[in-house]
Amino acid sequence: MENGALSEELIQTDVLCIGGGIAGLMAAIRAGELGAKVVVAEKGNTLHSGRGRAGNDHFWCYIPEVHGADMELFLKDCLKGPKLKLMQAGTSMSVLRTFLEKSFDIVKLWDSWGIPMKYQGRWEFAGHSFHGDVLTHLKYEGLKQKTVLTERAMEKKVEIMNRVMIFDLLRNKDGVIGAIGIHTREDKIIVLQAKAVILGTGFVDRLYPPSVPGWLASVAGSLTLTGDGRAMTYRAGAELVGPEIPRRHVGPRYFARYGQATWVGVLRDTHGKPIGPYVTKPDKRYGDMTPEVKGVLLEDYMKSGKGPAYMDCRGISDEDYEYMMHWLVHEGNSSLIDHMKEEGIDLRKNPVEFGTYQMVPEGKIWINEKAETSIKGLYAAGDESMGGIGPSASYGWIAGESAATYAKEAPAPKIEKTRAEIEERKNLVGEMRTRKQGPDWKEANIALQQIMQDYAGPVRSEVLLEAGLSYVQRLKKKVATTMVAQNQWELTRCLETLNLLDLGELVFIAANERKETRGLHNRPDYPLTDPMLEGKGLFVKQVRGEPVLEWRKIA
Amino acid sequence: MPPIIDPTKCTGCGVCVDVCSEDVFFGSKKGKVPVVTYPEFCVHFNCCAYECPEEGAIKVRIPLPLQLLYKGGDR
């Protein structure tokens, strides 16, 4: 690249979907179907991107013929489960209801498109539920889901732009009118003019240090999920809720893989004693719920010297073993299975050690039942507004519908009026590409991860959080003027890291404001869980460059 | 370091380069055996091996620190 000059390409569309995961593709398909011109900008390849990139096997949904006619009762039962309760803490009840009402239609749609949603001719529910409780998650064969959704989007004339990372929204005083990004391979800036924008960029998986020290790619979740949507939404002035709430999954220690509920076994200590009270032998219908009640227990076992905990499938019937292996493939764990074969690990004989994974902050984009954010023309769906596969698919669809309807009436955006903002961002990336010396993205990312872990990690207090905040802010300033990208791949990582720095700062600010201990938000200086904060969310938005916090009831 | 490509089986079709969302093959040229430019960014989901049309041409090796820990007799 000469003189830091990236060429600029302008693309005009009605609806822009940022992120081509399950939510983004579902939004694109629906908007395309309703006649909108749709572009999906995906920084990887939609065939294998996002948390659903290699498959999934459980889909939260409400099927009246299975769950009974009373949806309210079903919803109440669902939220009794600790996983759904925590995951949906930043979601309004009207959004949850709208999702559940829609979910069975989406299940049937997927089935008709070639994503098998039935198992042996029936709706098969298992996992994520306590013994005797309502079963919430449909088992489905998601191995090829991303291929099916990508093909469906193309049938609807959606333009899929792989290898394009959007990193900022463009807006006027009324609302969003487009976005700016880079090509991740070619020396190019992409400016997209859009009447409506749908965010579907997923979780924030790379903010805290992963299982294997110094090995960034060992993160649980997806390595390139860096909260791009939340970060750009925040910078554009929309509301996020709950960035201080941490979540931690469990799964095979070091070989980090989600899908703990797919395992048919019992979590046992090294002497063979079950560590939780829920199951004493492998049960394919109700797996071991212990990690969903307290995932950090596994880490506590190690720290206290009780030793490792194992997922122990010994005693499983042949039929149930086949069942588990079948679903592990669909959950996207074929590499894990290959590895076990190669090592001679047989789950019928060998218990596999499980561990607690890194923290993932919630911090969702606040949406209403139409998937609208607090900025006009801006919608969000998927893990960044409402976690999980069922919600991503259903709310993607709803967001696509809302955005296409809005785009029909919206005036043609005048993107050239944002020329100053475009130039400012071109300079930012141009400088990173032309600097000769300085830290690369990895240095910056690791520096950030260690501050997050040590100052806003398992233990948080006012003094820790204040110190950590000042360190992150100093790091951010330093990185902004020194970070170096040798090529577009590194530039992509740099922009991701800048997003992580913004989101890390928000974690500190919001965690300090939550003056209580709740779940994994552990404040020794405020050890009680404050009943006054029950049912409330901490909303944060940027006003004139400063974060503004507000507690509001989530109804 | 993962992934490992067998140059005797690889036809240089570029499918793996195309589908890898982490783009570990960044800079690879179509028609040639892909170069693993960023091996440490591989997340071992097998997407490249899954999409590869040539049986056994690409294999994802699990690095030592990520390998499973388990109980029971060694082979």
Side-chain angles (χ1 to χ4, degrees):
Chain A
M1 193 181 69
E2 285 171 21
N3 309 322
L6 295 160
S7 66
E8 184 184 318
E9 187 180 339
L10 176 69
I11 291 158
Q12 297 177 333
T13 187
D14 294 333
V15 175
L16 165 65
C17 299
I18 304 178
I22 290 174
L25 288 174
M26 285 298 281
I29 294 166
R30 185 58 176 151
E33 201 168 86
L34 293 172
K37 185 171 183 238
V38 186
V39 170
V40 173
E42 159 62 54
K43 63 181 171 176
N45 183 319
T46 62
L47 291 171
H48 288 286
S49 62
R51 281 221 187 149
R53 50 109 47 92
N56 289 119
D57 76 336
H58 53 281
F59 192 108
W60 180 25
C61 58
Y62 167 60
I63 300 185
E65 65 193 69
V66 174
H67 298 116
D70 191 344
M71 196 188 81
E72 279 302 310
L73 182 67
F74 176 68
L75 176 56
K76 215 172 127 201
D77 283 345
C78 288
L79 296 179
K80 222 166 79 181
K83 180 191 165 80
L84 290 178
K85 192 179 172 191
L86 177 65
M87 271 176 83
Q88 308 307 342
T91 311
S92 79
M93 289 305 279
S94 62
V95 169
L96 284 170
R97 284 189 192 102
T98 309
F99 145 65
L100 279 182
E101 276 163 11
K102 184 55 99 186
S103 59
F104 189 31
D105 288 343
I106 301 295
V107 166
K108 287 183 282 191
L109 264 185
W110 274 26
D111 199 53
S112 72
W113 293 349
I115 303 171
M117 304 301 282
K118 278 189 172 174
Y119 176 71
Q120 297 180 345
R122 62 173 190 270
W123 305 120
E124 170 82 355
F125 280 80
H128 295 305
S129 300
F130 294 104
H131 217 278
D133 258 4
V134 66
L135 286 157
T136 50
H137 285 73
L138 178 71
K139 299 296 274 187
Y140 78 102
E141 296 175 351
L143 183 64
K144 293 180 184 158
Q145 61 187 5
K146 294 298 308 284
T147 307
V148 170
L149 296 178
T150 299
E151 285 170 356
R152 194 84 200 170
M154 287 163 80
E155 271 171 35
K156 299 290 172 198
K157 311 274 181 253
V158 169
E159 188 186 347
I160 295 180
M161 295 179 74
N162 287 320
R163 311 290 168 195
V164 170
M165 182 201 180
I166 302 295
F167 64 94
D168 253 326
L169 298 166
L170 295 169
R171 58 169 299 177
N172 61 20
K173 63 176 179 25
D174 298 321
V176 165
I177 54 168
I180 181 166
I182 57 159
H183 198 283
T184 71
R185 288 181 174 172
E186 297 158 23
D187 292 340
K188 232 173 18 182
I189 287 273
I190 317 273
V191 177
L192 280 135
Q193 177 181 295
K195 292 176 180 170
V197 174
I198 301 169
L199 295 157
T201 72
F203 274 112
V204 192
D205 285 341
R206 214 169 76 207
L207 186 57
Y208 282 83
S211 314
V212 180
W215 203 295
L216 285 169
S218 70
V219 293
S222 240
L223 186 55
T224 56
L225 296 187
T226 46
D228 302 340
R230 296 167 215 226
M232 65 181 109
T233 297
Y234 175 71
R235 290 192 293 261
E239 275 183 332
L240 304 186
V241 58
E244 77 288 2
I245 304 282
R247 184 136 64 96
R248 297 183 74 181
H249 283 265
V250 309
R253 192 179 174 89
Y254 303 133
F255 197 138
R257 282 296 179 269
Y258 285 158
Q260 153 263 321
T262 308
W263 295 73
V264 179
V266 182
L267 270 177
R268 297 183 191 275
D269 69 11
T270 193
H271 304 297
K273 186 173 172 276
I275 70 167
Y278 304 109
V279 282
T280 51
K281 58 178 193 236
D283 182 331
K284 75 170 183 182
R285 190 74 57 221
Y286 300 94
D288 197 336
M289 285 291 279
T290 312
E292 295 191 25
V293 175
K294 194 178 179 186
V296 78
L297 194 62
L298 276 60
E299 187 172 271
D300 294 348
Y301 262 55
M302 292 298 278
K303 279 187 180 162
S304 66
K306 282 184 184 167
Y310 294 90
M311 176 53 81
D312 189 351
C313 306
R314 287 178 299 181
I316 192 171
S317 69
D318 288 345
E319 193 191 321
D320 289 3
Y321 174 76
E322 294 303 326
Y323 182 88
M324 173 173 71
M325 298 309 271
H326 170 80
W327 292 117
L328 278 173
V329 171
H330 283 288
E331 172 67 3
N333 282 331
S334 70
S335 56
L336 190 78
I337 293 170
D338 288 351
H339 173 61
M340 290 194 285
K341 263 188 214 151
E342 214 157 88
E343 294 292 306
I345 302 168
D346 182 344
L347 293 177
R348 286 165 293 196
K349 294 177 188 151
N350 305 112
V352 171
E353 189 176 335
F354 265 37
T356 313
Y357 295 149
Q358 88 272 358
M359 277 189 171
V360 175
E362 287 287 353
K364 289 172 185 146
I365 299 169
W366 178 250
I367 55 164
N368 66 11
E369 62 280 5
K370 289 182 178 166
E372 293 166 335
T373 69
S374 59
I375 296 183
K376 209 170 166 192
L378 182 64
Y379 303 80
D383 287 333
E384 66 189 356
S385 66
M386 192 191 181
I389 299 142
S392 294
S394 308
Y395 253 90
W397 192 256
I398 292 165
E401 201 163 289
S402 300
T405 309
Y406 173 78
K408 264 185 200 153
E409 306 296 326
K414 292 181 178 133
I415 206 84
E416 274 312 308
K417 291 205 166 160
T418 62
R419 182 44 55 186
E421 284 84 1
I422 294 171
E423 291 303 322
E424 191 188 312
R425 281 155 185 91
K426 278 173 83 170
N427 286 341
L428 169 88
V429 298
E431 279 172 15
M432 282 191 278
R433 280 295 314 272
T434 44
R435 275 182 207 124
K436 296 287 175 236
Q437 280 184 341
D440 63 6
W441 71 273
K442 207 193 284 182
E443 257 187 61
N445 204 152
I446 292 174
L448 172 63
Q449 286 185 346
Q450 76 181 358
I451 297 171
M452 297 310 300
Q453 181 70 11
D454 289 344
Y455 299 87
V459 179
R460 299 164 164 192
S461 67
E462 193 168 317
V463 283
L464 279 173
L465 292 166
E466 280 176 0
L469 177 62
S470 72
Y471 300 157
V472 167
Q473 287 171 337
R474 192 179 297 152
L475 179 65
K476 210 167 114 171
K477 261 190 205 150
K478 206 176 280 181
V479 163
T481 53
T482 57
M483 195 156 53
V484 173
Q486 306 261 7
N487 55 39
Q488 291 298 94
W489 187 94
E490 291 187 18
L491 183 61
T492 309
R493 308 286 88 85
C494 286
L495 291 168
E496 290 171 345
T497 306
L498 292 176
N499 284 338
L500 290 170
L501 279 157
D502 279 351
L503 295 171
E505 190 179 357
L506 281 187
V507 169
F508 278 103
I509 292 166
N512 205 7
E513 180 64 25
R514 187 176 277 280
K515 299 188 192 312
E516 63 158 356
T517 289
R518 186 179 291 264
L520 296 176
H521 174 72
N522 174 24
R523 294 276 308 247
D525 51 348
Y526 293 96
L528 299 180
T529 298
D530 185 353
M532 300 296 286
L533 297 179
E534 198 61 48
K536 283 185 181 168
L538 186 52
F539 289 76
V540 52
K541 69 173 174 180
Q542 186 170 260
V543 180
R544 283 180 284 279
E546 293 296 322
V548 174
L549 299 170
E550 186 191 356
W551 287 101
R552 281 212 310 262
K553 205 164 175 55
I554 295 181
Chain B
M1 290 279 272
I4 300 162
I5 298 168
D6 183 342
T8 64
K9 290 180 181 164
C10 174
T11 62
C13 72
V15 166
C16 57
V17 178
D18 197 30
V19 299
C20 177
S21 277
E22 285 69 27
D23 210 6
V24 302
F25 306 104
F26 179 81
S28 294
K29 300 268 180 286
K30 205 162 184 135
K32 293 196 172 163
V33 175
V35 185
V36 188
T37 311
Y38 293 105
E40 76 280 10
F41 217 64
C42 174
V43 287
H44 323 105
F45 268 98
N46 265 2
C47 299
C48 54
Y50 177 78
E51 295 285 354
C52 176
E54 299 300 318
E55 180 78 25
I58 191 161
K59 187 180 167 308
V60 175
R61 185 177 78 75
I62 307 305
L64 289 173
L66 273 67
Q67 295 191 3
L68 287 176
L69 305 171
Y70 60 97
K71 265 171 116 171
D74 284 290
R75 278 183 294 181

